[in-house]
Amino acid sequence: GISYNKLFTEKGHSLNAAFLFSNNNMNLENNIIQNKFSFLPSSNGSSVTSHNTSVNYNDNFNWGVNYKRMINKYFNLFLGYRGGNTKLSMNDDYYILDPYLQSYNEDLKRKIIQGYNDFNQDILFGLNGTVYDIQYDLGLRAMNKYTSTENKVLNNSYQNSFTNYDPKVGFTTDITDEQTIGINFMRMTQYPQNKQLNPYLDYSDSTNIVAGNPELKPFVTNSLGMNYNISRGDFWGSAY
């Protein structure tokens, strides 16, 4: 990764940026023997041998830029931009042994050749300070997420794009020298993961065969709270 930080002490503001990259590769190969026995009406058994291969890899890119500036005691400004891109490729093959020909036949129904692309962008704005003895904290997060899934076996693909805005508002003030009270509101958005949106069956885990729903929407939480704090001597307490 690469990072850059610059502090403008005289002007009261700072700038920092970062870029990160990672790559992961996974190659698996295994043989599975399944024995099945039946005792009724007569005792007999059967055996199924399969050979599975999996070649998966992903590239992860993340970057961000933050700018902070203390204008005066009334206004502190924060601006930020963050992004990320993840590309995943899955190539899984499944073969079943023909006991008579002693050769493996490919199970095309379970074959997986899929590509995933996940692109995220966040723009952040924040402003805080103190005005008339009231401390305030304002913020807005604008988010965009784009995901795509391509199934090369079925020659089909799905795309999803989401855009959301999460505001944040908070106010705190002193009631007395020992007591403060505050109120805040916050919205949080959680996006479904790519595997939750993928409509194709995933056989990579034979004990947990799953498929997603491409119609899933983001989960939004709105929270409103109040708080009261008191500090008197060695005693300190708070209520929410």
Side-chain angles (χ1 to χ4, degrees), residues 177-238:
D177 292 339
E178 300 173 334
Q179 302 176 73
T180 63
I181 190 171
I183 185 172
N184 60 79
F185 168 81
M186 179 182 295
R187 174 180 295 167
M188 295 183 62
T189 302
Q190 292 179 302
Y191 293 106
Q193 299 179 5
N194 215 325
K195 64 180 181 180
Q196 296 173 313
L197 297 168
N198 177 21
Y200 309 110
L201 288 173
D202 182 357
Y203 296 94
S204 57
D205 184 352
S206 59
T207 62
N208 185 30
I209 299 174
V210 298
N213 179 6
E215 300 300 324
L216 288 177
K217 302 300 180 184
F219 179 75
V220 178
T221 302
N222 293 308
S223 61
L224 177 65
M226 295 185 65
N227 61 81
Y228 167 79
N229 300 290
I230 182 172
S231 177
R232 181 174 298 171
D234 294 332
F235 173 79
W236 183 89
S238 62

Side-chain angles (χ1 to χ4, degrees), residues 10 18 54 68 76 83 132 134 157 159-160 170 212 225 229 234-235:
E10 296 179 357
S54 179
K68 297 179 181 179
N76 297 313
Y132 296 113
I134 298 177
S157 64
Q159 293 83 34
N160 299 85
N229 300 290
D234 294 332
F235 173 79

Side-chain angles (χ1 to χ4, degrees), residues 136-181:
Y136 69 92
D137 185 11
L138 310 176
L140 179 65
R141 180 184 181 188
M143 300 168 290
N144 177 261
K145 180 182 180 70
Y146 171 82
T147 65
S148 65
T149 303
E150 181 183 10
N151 189 318
K152 296 182 180 180
V153 175
L154 301 177
N155 193 27
N156 205 345
S157 64
Y158 283 88
Q159 293 83 34
N160 299 85
S161 181
F162 308 106
T163 300
N164 290 82
Y165 302 92
D166 289 354
K168 179 182 69 171
V169 180
F171 298 97
T172 304
T173 189
D174 295 331
I175 303 176
T176 65
D177 292 339
E178 300 173 334
Q179 302 176 73
T180 63
I181 190 171

